[in-house]
C-alpha cells in the first residue's frame, strides 16, 4: 500500500531531521518533514488523489528520506574528508529544493480546491458589484 510506505518514509524523514545538529540544515529538514506530513494527511482525507501522487509517494518522498538518513550517517562518522564534506554540503543545499518540490506537489494535489475558492471569490465579487458594493 502506497500510504503505508509513505508513512514509513515520513517516520524516517522525521527521525533523521531530529538528529541533525546544524541549525539551518535541521530547520530545512524539519520544514521538509512537516510539509511531507501535511501532504500525507491531505491524501488520507482525499484518497481519490493518491493515484495522482504516485511518483511523489514512491520516489520523491522515499529519496528524501534516504538522503536525510545518509546525511545523518555521514555526519555521525565524524569524517572531515573533502568528499564527505562535499556530500554533506550538497545534501544540505538540496533540502530547500526538495521542500519546493514538496510544496509544488501539494499545490497540484489541491488544484481543484484552489480553483473552487477562486470561483467562489469571483462570484462573490460579481454579486457585490451588482448590489453596488465595492469588492
Amino acid at each position: 500500500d502506497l500510504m503505508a510506505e509513505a508513512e514509513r518514509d515520513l517516520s524516517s524523514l522525521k527521525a533523521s531531521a531530529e538528529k541533525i545538529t546544524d541549525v539551518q540544515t535541521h530547520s530545512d529538514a524539519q520544514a521538509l518533514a512537516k510539509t511531507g506530513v501535511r501532504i500525507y494527511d491531505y491524501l488520507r482525507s482525499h484518497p481519490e488523489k493518491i493515484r495522482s501522487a504516485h511518483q511523489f509517494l514512491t520516489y520523491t518522498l522515499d529519496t528524501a528520506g534516504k538522503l536525510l538518513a545518509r546525511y545523518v550517517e555521514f555526519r555521525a562518522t565524524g569524517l572531515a574528508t573533502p568528499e564527505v564534506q562535499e556530500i554533506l554540503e550538497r545534501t544540505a543545499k538540496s533540502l530547500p529544493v526538495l521542500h519546493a518540490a514538496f510544496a509544488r506537489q501539494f499545490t497540484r494535489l489541491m488544484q481543484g480546491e484552489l480553483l473552487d475558492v477562486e470561483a467562489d471569490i469571483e462570484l462573490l465579487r460579481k454579486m457585490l458589484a451588482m448590489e453596488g458594493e465595492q469588492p
Side-chain angles (χ1 to χ4, degrees), residues 54-107:
H54 186 269
Q55 182 174 344
F56 173 79
L57 294 171
T58 60
Y59 178 73
T60 310
L61 187 57
D62 181 57
T63 301
K66 287 177 183 174
L67 280 174
L68 275 187
R70 288 184 182 140
Y71 178 93
V72 170
E73 288 173 17
F74 287 141
R75 183 65 83 183
T77 66
L79 286 174
T81 64
E83 295 85 5
V84 170
Q85 291 302 315
E86 181 180 346
I87 289 297
L88 291 173
E89 287 175 23
R90 288 180 64 200
T91 302
K93 287 179 182 177
S94 73
L95 296 180
V97 174
L98 273 169
H99 188 255
F102 276 37
R104 280 191 305 276
Q105 176 64 45
F106 202 2
T107 301

Side-chain angles (χ1 to χ4, degrees), residues 15-30 68 71-72 74-76 88 95:
S16 294
E18 286 298 318
K19 294 176 184 174
I20 295 173
T21 56
D22 173 72
V23 174
Q24 185 61 54
T25 306
H26 175 78
S27 176
D28 290 343
Q30 290 283 42
L68 275 187
Y71 178 93
V72 170
F74 287 141
R75 183 65 83 183
L88 291 173
L95 296 180

Side-chain angles (χ1 to χ4, degrees), residues 115-133:
L115 291 174
D116 288 347
V117 170
E118 203 172 287
D120 288 343
I121 291 170
E122 187 58 32
L123 180 60
L124 181 61
R125 289 181 61 156
K126 286 179 182 178
M127 288 179 63
L128 289 172
M130 287 175 29
E131 294 176 2
E133 298 289 329

